[in-house]
Amino acid sequence: MTEYAQQALAILRDPGQFQWYVIPLLAFVFYVYVVETEKRNWSLVLAGLAFWGMDWFNEIWNSLVFHFTGYAPVWAAPGSTAYLILIGLNIEIMFMFAVSGIIWTKMLPPDRRTRILGIPNRAFIAVAGAAFCVLVEILLNQANALTWDYPWWNRGAPWLIFLFGYLTFFVVAFWVFDMPSLRNKLITVGSIWGLDLLALVLFIPVLGWI
């Protein structure tokens, strides 16, 4: 087991890490969703939830990598935190992803046919957003706040981080946002979160794997 994995494991779901700044962060997330709900902006709310649900999916498989290898997760969050939920997901990251999908989806032009630098706007913003997130992750890694132990997942090989760490979040969120039917949006987002919740229940209290 790597040193970073040991550090993260030592504080995993330790309530003694709690800090009071969690409460205003929680209030901020509620505020963002309440504002959009008040406007009945269901497409934006569901896009935000899709983005967030995709992050949970990533965090679950990352934790399973650690369980089955006994060596390290693909990424870990061993740094200071108010609560480490999963080995690569602290509560601060969770709140950030809770609103990220709404923030980035708000940047989409109303007309899907609009192009940015000759590129379809959904694709342009998805790629730009994923690239920005990779840059932030590299900075966090340099501060040892988010750590990597595998040679194929680091700043020397950022394409997997770009493709699977972030681009999928944007693609799914924008796909949900553009769906013509509210029913299809609800089914898609419900399926993502249903899978996440089932996995969390199965792998934490039932099997104790993550």
Side-chain angles (χ1 to χ4, degrees):
M1 189 183 300
T2 66
E3 181 180 350
Y4 289 133
Q6 292 178 50
Q7 291 172 6
L9 195 60
I11 60 171
L12 183 63
R13 291 189 287 276
D14 176 8
Q17 298 290 117
F18 175 79
Q19 298 291 328
W20 276 105
Y21 64 77
V22 168
I23 304 305
L25 287 177
L26 177 63
F28 169 71
V29 172
F30 276 137
Y31 176 78
V32 169
Y33 277 90
V34 167
V35 166
E36 299 306 329
T37 300
E38 183 183 27
K39 298 176 183 176
R40 303 180 68 82
N41 200 347
W42 306 121
S43 293
L44 185 61
V45 168
L46 291 169
L49 290 174
F51 193 101
W52 192 15
M54 290 300 296
D55 178 60
W56 274 101
F57 178 79
N58 265 19
E59 297 294 349
I60 291 166
W61 70 251
N62 178 53
S63 297
L64 289 173
V65 168
F66 175 56
H67 169 75
F68 285 110
T69 64
Y71 172 69
V74 180
W75 61 89
S80 178
T81 177
Y83 192 71
L84 188 64
I85 304 167
L86 296 174
I87 199 160
L89 176 69
N90 59 41
I91 198 164
E92 297 86 356
I93 296 172
M94 184 197 73
F95 285 143
M96 185 270 293
F97 278 114
V99 297
S100 291
I102 287 181
I103 293 168
W104 285 98
T105 306
K106 274 182 170 289
M107 298 182 189
L108 296 178
D111 188 350
R112 294 177 60 184
R113 296 170 295 182
T114 301
R115 289 178 173 264
I116 301 174
L117 300 178
I119 302 170
N121 66 79
R122 269 46 174 175
F124 182 91
I125 294 174
V127 169
F132 174 79
C133 290
V134 171
L135 176 61
V136 171
E137 182 151 335
I138 288 172
L139 295 175
L140 291 172
N141 175 256
Q142 290 178 335
N144 284 333
L146 199 66
T147 61
W148 306 318
D149 283 302
Y150 294 98
W152 39 265
W153 190 281
N154 57 43
R155 57 180 173 268
W159 43 87
L160 288 180
I161 305 174
F162 173 81
L163 288 173
F164 299 107
Y166 294 106
L167 187 61
T168 52
F169 300 5
F170 290 89
V171 170
V172 171
F174 296 170
W175 175 53
V176 167
F177 181 76
D178 286 330
M179 284 180 177
S181 165
L182 179 60
R183 179 176 179 273
N184 288 342
K185 297 176 197 281
L186 290 169
I187 290 173
T188 303
V189 174
S191 298
I192 293 170
W193 278 95
L195 179 61
D196 288 343
L197 292 173
L198 178 63
L200 289 171
V201 170
L202 178 63
F203 296 136
I204 297 179
V206 177
L207 297 176
W209 286 1
I210 64 174

